[in-house]
Amino acid sequence: MKIACVGAGPAGLYFSLLLKLRQPQHEITVYERSAPGVTRGWGVVFWNDLLDQLRSADPESAEQIAQAAFPWSNEIVDVAGTPILHGVSQGYGMKRRQLLEILVRRAQEVGVRVEFNHEVTSASQLPEADLIVASDGVNSQLRQEAKGIETDVRPGTNKYIWLGTEKVFSTFTFPFVETGSGWVWAHAYGVDAGSSTFIVECGQETWAGLGFGTMPPAECLAALEKIFAAQLEGQGLIGQTADGLNAQWVDFRTISNERWYDGKVVLIGDSAHTTHFSVGSGTRLAIEDAIALAGSVQRHDEVSAALAAYQRERQEAILRTQIASRYSSQWFENVPRYIGLTPKQFSSLMRRRRSPLMPHISPQLYYWSWPTTREPPFVDTLRRLAGPVAAKVFGLLQRSHRS
Ligand SMILES: Cc1cc2nc3c(=O)[nH]c(=O)nc-3n(C[C@H](O)[C@H](O)[C@H](O)COP(=O)(O)OP(=O)(O)OC[C@H]3O[C@@H](n4cnc5c(N)ncnc54)[C@H](O)[C@@H]3O)c2cc1C
């Protein structure tokens, strides 16, 4: 088959390299709009579950990723200078750029053609192909021209900006700082021995009140460095990517699609679905999509059968993470509801932010009913039951809204 992938992010690269590795007879080309080594966004986190999947899919690239991954352990929730340490989690951080470099090298090594500086805004610009993989991310242009996909886009109410810093956070840190216009907080984690990701988030009113909407980038970085001076310990924030572009304040958009393919065009990774950065799962889901799509293409002779099976498998598999993402992003959108608790209570509830019950009862009552970080078993049962039911109700509502 001739296969064209638009977008050299984790989804497109991993799909291409896996399929080529297993079925070298395919001719696979990845088209990427940026130059080699240029990527937007800093680092991402992941856990051992992703490394296990990578090891069983392609041990070679998995080993390189494992070697380059920066381990962090535990979490600190710091409310106005009172840090509460939670010693339970262990994960890894990695610069997006480094992850993509490993995947590009491996894809080229197994025979995938990667064409950089090649933007594709319509499938009609591609040479004849039997399968077109829309791995062009959250703003996918191929998705926008696909028919019958029924995309749902839900903008969040907070603003965030994806920055870096040379301060190394070897513990995942969430500093919450009160300003004259409201609370501002960050999600900070190390990505290598010399730098960290530093995502700053706040409500719209706080963002407008602090003047971030009209502030030039350098001034904005200086203001944020001042707000987070205690946590940054003298290090600055980095807002510019390798291609000289400045990081922008944006609204997180939750994307979902009723169908993931139209004819021979198939959605994968962020073009098919997004999950809020506070659940740290988008890269894992993109890689899992890639593994599932490569497997399905291998198993089926007909492209249409392969895409139908892929859609069935992945739409069901991501449901739990999508629901967790919704609760988690809503929790951060409602920080003022929780911030009056003591730092210990606040941090405890923050760690349980995926609970479907918490938004519906008073935070104090929730905390005093279950003061430990362990969730009551019935909440987990509810979450599992609510998943498929919520998805059904959501689908019905969407359909009735459109008709
Ligand atoms: C602030 C933030 C923090 C995050 N943190 C984490 C985290 O900690 N852990 C985690 O797992 N996930 C995280 N994510 C999510 C993760 O970054 C994405 O889910 C993941 O990158 C999706 O991979 P992808 O390959 O689908 O898309 P992308 O990585 O977005 O790649 C798409 C590629 O397509 C290219 N492209 C776009 N349009 C075109 C075009 N027209 N022609 C050619 N090329 C094109 C782009 O240049 C890009 O290289 C975070 C996301 C955000 C916004």
Side-chain angles (χ1 to χ4, degrees):
M1 280 203 294
K2 284 198 167 122
I3 301 173
C5 287
V6 178
L13 288 170
Y14 207 65
F15 164 76
S16 314
L17 82 80
L18 269 195
L19 190 62
K20 186 76 184 169
L21 199 61
R22 293 172 186 172
Q23 296 192 319
Q25 70 272 26
H26 299 308
E27 220 176 89
I28 309 180
T29 307
V30 180
Y31 300 92
E32 167 58 46
R33 68 178 169 193
S34 301
V38 169
T39 177
R40 277 152 225 188
W42 284 85
V44 291
V45 286
F46 54 90
W47 287 264
N48 273 322
D49 60 341
L50 177 65
L51 283 180
D52 290 344
Q53 296 194 72
L54 293 171
R55 284 193 180 106
S56 60
D58 175 35
E60 190 100 12
S61 54
E63 203 38 50
Q64 293 175 41
I65 293 168
Q67 289 290 328
F70 178 79
W72 52 262
S73 54
N74 307 327
E75 282 182 23
I76 289 176
V77 182
D78 176 340
V79 183
T82 305
I84 307 288
L85 176 72
H86 296 271
V88 286
S89 55
Q90 228 169 2
Y92 304 93
M94 185 180 251
K95 275 191 176 154
R96 245 178 85 79
R97 180 176 172 177
Q98 194 168 13
L99 173 66
L100 295 180
E101 276 171 2
I102 292 171
L103 297 181
V104 166
R105 241 190 347 260
R106 181 69 176 139
Q108 288 171 332
E109 202 176 275
V110 300
V112 174
R113 262 181 61 199
V114 185
E115 286 198 13
F116 290 100
N117 299 310
H118 192 139
E119 181 159 29
V120 178
T121 54
S122 163
S124 64
Q125 295 167 347
L126 291 166
E128 191 51 40
D130 304 292
L131 173 63
I132 297 173
V133 180
S135 48
D136 47 350
V138 56
N139 297 314
S140 172
Q141 309 229 35
L142 295 192
R143 180 186 68 219
Q144 283 163 36
E145 70 174 7
K147 304 223 166 24
I149 294 270
E150 297 197 37
T151 304
D152 184 67
V153 182
R154 278 159 199 258
T157 60
N158 281 352
K159 289 277 183 192
Y160 78 88
I161 185 165
W162 199 353
L163 303 170
T165 173
E166 284 177 358
K167 151 94 197 215
V168 181
F169 289 91
S170 51
T171 296
F172 204 124
T173 305
F174 297 92
F176 287 78
V177 179
E178 190 171 20
T179 70
S181 300
W183 288 84
V184 182
W185 57 95
H187 309 238
Y189 46 87
V191 291
D192 61 23
S195 58
S196 300
T197 281
F198 201 86
I199 305 167
V200 180
E201 189 181 7
C202 62
Q204 294 266 4
E205 281 181 18
T206 304
W207 175 79
L210 291 170
F212 289 140
T214 50
M215 221 178 252
E219 225 176 279
C220 172
L221 283 195
L224 290 173
E225 282 165 1
K226 210 163 148 199
I227 290 172
F228 292 106
Q231 291 77 20
L232 291 169
E233 294 177 331
Q235 298 290 347
L237 290 170
I238 310 164
Q240 218 173 48
T241 53
D243 53 1
L245 290 175
N246 286 306
Q248 306 280 338
W249 284 99
V250 273
D251 312 325
F252 184 82
R253 297 186 312 141
T254 301
I255 308 276
S256 56
N257 293 281
E258 190 79 17
R259 275 172 63 91
W260 288 19
Y261 65 97
D262 168 28
K264 59 186 177 180
V265 178
V266 62
L267 310 182
I268 180 173
D270 272 13
S271 79
H273 48 76
T274 58
T275 48
H276 193 251
F277 51 84
S278 61
V279 292
S281 299
T283 305
R284 174 177 58 80
L285 295 182
I287 298 262
E288 286 175 352
D289 285 355
I291 295 171
L293 183 59
S296 197
V297 170
Q298 251 187 297
R299 281 193 305 275
H300 295 87
D301 293 332
E302 295 289 324
V303 166
S304 58
L307 301 190
Y310 157 74
Q311 172 183 298
R312 244 189 337 268
E313 178 184 340
R314 291 305 294 157
Q315 278 188 335
E316 195 184 327
I318 67 162
L319 209 55
R320 237 184 133 180
T321 312
Q322 277 181 317
I323 289 166
S325 159
R326 206 178 62 221
Y327 285 120
S328 181
S329 60
Q330 282 172 0
W331 196 94
F332 282 104
E333 288 174 355
N334 286 292
V335 162
R337 181 172 192 259
Y338 304 103
I339 202 77
L341 299 169
T342 66
K344 183 167 171 241
Q345 294 169 343
F346 177 85
S347 67
S348 169
L349 294 202
M350 199 198 103
R351 300 200 72 255
R352 287 181 276 164
R353 62 189 178 271
R354 300 171 190 199
S355 161
L357 196 61
M358 204 190 298
H360 306 292
I361 60 175
S362 116
Q364 286 281 1
L365 180 62
Y366 187 91
Y367 180 80
W368 288 116
S369 306
W370 305 288
T372 67
T373 50
R374 214 180 42 212
E375 283 210 322
F378 83 87
V379 173
D380 199 43
T381 311
L382 251 183
R383 180 192 286 150
R384 268 186 280 119
L385 290 175
V389 175
K392 276 244 151 51
V393 172
F394 182 61
L396 283 175
L397 284 176
Q398 265 185 308
R399 269 193 286 278
S400 67
H401 178 68
R402 280 188 197 105
S403 58

